[in-house]
Amino acid sequence: MSEPASPDERRDLLDSHRWRPLRLLLESMDADIVALYADAGVTGLRARFVGPLIQLGRRESMTIQELATAIEVTHSAMSQTVAAMRTAGFVESVADAADARARRIRLSARGREVLPLLEAEWRATEATVREIEAEIPYPLSRVVEEISVVLARRPFRQRLDDNIARALRGELE
């Protein structure tokens, strides 16, 4: 005899958003980080700027592709981030010494000024996350690692393709 379905399992999939709480949690944490910057008087700083600005602080300058690779995002996403950071005054573009047609990105004076706070916040955030993980029985970083192993066996896209076929046949509600 099988166990009865849980209320969550009986719910229509269109009424479900299983990982929404995780997205909301991460958005809330990002909002707290941005509030920390605002409290320190740093305006115009978005959470997505911090990683690239720290990378630029570690190097004299980088191309958009080098930044994208370091942060593990697409060239397009990094190009948009760099444009926003430039508008906010954190970075500037300079000609590449080896190829005058190419542009490199470097910290502006404002970017260099806020860098110590960004680095301190990053370290504090990582320490805070480690504290939180130490207080829970199953750390999120471990969950992510295990999901990665599962997806290495059978990728998300393959699973999605299989389930969309089922949904189109009316087998998923």
Side-chain angles (χ1 to χ4, degrees):
M1 184 165 158
S2 65
E3 291 187 32
S6 71
D8 191 47
E9 291 169 335
R10 289 191 302 266
R11 226 164 80 191
D12 184 311
L13 291 174
L14 293 177
D15 295 326
S16 164
H17 197 306
R18 181 155 265 174
W19 285 359
R20 183 172 188 265
L22 175 60
R23 181 181 55 80
L24 294 174
L25 174 66
L26 293 173
E27 287 174 1
S28 172
M29 291 166 65
D30 275 349
D32 285 345
I33 292 168
V34 171
L36 182 142
Y37 291 130
D39 291 347
V42 180
T43 59
L45 187 66
R46 298 183 197 164
R48 69 181 177 143
F49 294 177
V50 179
L53 291 172
I54 289 172
Q55 289 297 317
L56 289 168
R58 297 174 131 193
R59 294 162 184 82
E60 185 174 324
S61 66
M62 298 173 78
T63 65
I64 289 176
Q65 185 57 58
E66 289 168 343
L67 269 170
T69 299
I71 303 298
E72 299 177 340
V73 299
T74 65
H75 181 280
S76 175
M78 185 53 65
S79 181
Q80 291 173 7
T81 298
V82 165
M85 291 189 305
R86 187 181 302 115
T87 299
F90 294 108
V91 299
E92 56 194 18
S93 298
V94 294
D96 188 314
D99 180 359
R101 297 169 298 166
R103 305 296 290 168
R104 298 186 68 80
I105 310 303
R106 70 179 180 197
L107 292 175
S108 65
R110 182 175 191 221
R112 287 188 302 277
E113 180 184 316
V114 301
L115 186 61
L117 176 61
L118 304 183
E119 290 173 339
E121 174 274 310
W122 191 284
R123 287 182 177 103
T125 297
E126 285 299 308
T128 301
V129 168
R130 290 176 187 189
E131 271 179 26
I132 293 166
E133 285 198 333
E135 292 181 31
I136 59 176
Y138 206 81
L140 183 58
S141 58
R142 183 170 160 200
V143 173
V144 171
E145 289 170 9
E146 291 184 6
I147 290 172
S148 295
V149 168
V150 167
L151 293 177
R153 285 194 304 261
R154 186 166 161 244
F156 185 82
R157 178 60 192 263
Q158 183 181 358
R159 294 165 187 269
L160 184 60
D161 287 344
D162 292 347
N163 281 315
I164 200 156
R166 290 178 59 213
L168 291 170
R169 290 192 305 265
E171 297 172 6
L172 296 178
E173 294 181 17

